[in-house]
Amino acid sequence: MTHPASLPRQPDAITPDSVAAVDAAITSRRSIRRFLPTPVPREQIEAILAVAARAPSGTNTQPWRVHVLTGERRQQLCDQVLAAAAQSDPTKRYTEQYDYYPSEWVSPYIDRRRKVGLDLYGLLGLGKDNKAGMQMQQARNFLFFDAPVGLVFTIERVMGRGSLLDYGMFLQSVMVAARARGLDTCPQAAWNHYHSVVLPLLGLDPERHMMVCGMALGHADPQAIENTLLTEREAVSGFTTFL
């Protein structure tokens, strides 16, 4: 017989205040691109991950594996990936393990992609011809945008594509739980190009494990101009059909 103490705690009643708090955590989440060096206690990271672990997954498979990097281990990862990214033709030498973006862009997706890029680079004063400046900004991905905590998410290759759907719900839960605690994040697919560098540094066998993404975690720099970027969202009527 299962002891009552081992059962999950029943959720508290939902109140208007709790609805507002959840909505605020979701709607205030943004991809932050410059962080303060303020440390994040391990206990707080563990609390965030414990909450996120309640994310749903098919038949409760829980396919996520999280690697938390701080201090020297974080710096080692950043240094090695930055060195790889600085090589000639890095996009030919390093490729993603799965297709994140479509092979052929169509509207409205290409329009949204272009707009967010132009808006970000516009805030940073980087014109279309400033390729070097854009490359430097892109390389900041591999510093976790100065966040003191770098998260790397992996999955075992044996899992099916449906597990990536589960993973997305877990990642969103991580970001919302962090936001509820006054922290900010930036999910980063850019790391995926360098999985052949990252996985061995994590002690993982690339034949068995696949990288899903990286994520910066910390306190947003309130003075950074890039952190004022607020991306647009389609109205509910634009993506919903009521039948």
Side-chain angles (χ1 to χ4, degrees):
M1 180 180 294
T2 302
H3 192 279
S6 66
L7 295 174
R9 184 178 67 85
Q10 293 300 307
D12 297 327
I14 299 299
T15 67
D17 286 345
S18 61
V19 171
V22 171
D23 287 355
I26 294 172
T27 57
S28 67
R29 185 216 61 81
R30 292 178 294 148
S31 292
I32 294 300
R33 293 179 174 85
R34 189 175 293 274
F35 290 81
L36 297 172
T38 309
V40 179
R42 175 169 173 165
E43 293 77 11
Q44 199 165 31
I45 300 171
E46 290 179 344
I48 290 168
L49 295 176
V51 169
R54 296 303 307 174
S57 60
T59 61
N60 200 33
T61 50
Q62 305 174 60
W64 37 81
R65 291 286 301 274
V66 186
H67 311 269
V68 182
L69 296 103
T70 59
E72 292 183 4
R73 291 300 300 276
R74 173 196 168 282
Q75 193 60 50
Q76 180 187 24
L77 177 68
C78 293
D79 290 344
Q80 293 203 25
V81 173
L82 281 170
Q87 296 177 16
S88 59
D89 296 325
T91 56
K92 293 182 180 179
R93 184 174 302 188
Y94 301 99
T95 58
E96 293 181 305
Q97 292 183 295
Y98 65 93
D99 294 331
Y100 187 90
Y101 292 114
S103 57
E104 180 179 351
W105 286 93
V106 297
S107 184
Y109 313 109
I110 185 61
D111 307 313
R112 295 169 182 164
R113 175 182 171 87
R114 285 172 175 163
K115 185 178 189 313
V116 72
L118 290 172
D119 288 348
L120 173 61
Y121 290 134
L123 285 172
L124 294 168
L126 300 173
K128 292 182 179 180
D129 297 330
N130 191 346
K131 303 299 182 184
M134 291 181 180
Q135 290 174 355
M136 289 179 63
Q137 177 60 27
Q138 175 68 10
R140 285 186 46 73
N141 271 285
F142 309 124
L143 293 170
F144 290 107
F145 296 112
D146 300 328
V149 180
L151 305 176
V152 176
F153 300 92
T154 64
I155 190 171
E156 292 201 35
R157 288 180 177 274
V158 70
M159 303 306 290
R161 284 188 292 179
S163 290
L164 292 178
L165 176 63
D166 300 336
Y167 224 122
M169 292 185 280
F170 173 73
L171 292 170
Q172 172 76 349
S173 298
V174 170
M175 292 184 283
V176 172
R179 192 71 202 97
R181 290 161 173 79
L183 296 169
D184 286 283
T185 56
C186 185
Q188 300 170 275
W191 288 93
N192 296 7
H193 283 280
Y194 302 96
H195 59 88
S196 61
V197 178
V198 176
L199 293 178
L201 284 173
L202 299 178
L204 299 178
D205 180 0
E207 296 297 320
R208 180 179 175 183
H209 300 272
M210 183 177 78
M211 226 184 130
V212 176
C213 68
M215 184 183 293
L217 170 68
H219 297 268
D221 182 348
Q223 303 302 318
I225 187 66
E226 55 266 50
N227 289 342
T228 64
L229 177 65
L230 184 61
T231 55
E232 297 178 359
R233 290 296 189 270
E234 186 77 9
V236 172
S237 59
F239 60 81
T240 307
T241 301
F242 289 92
L243 303 175

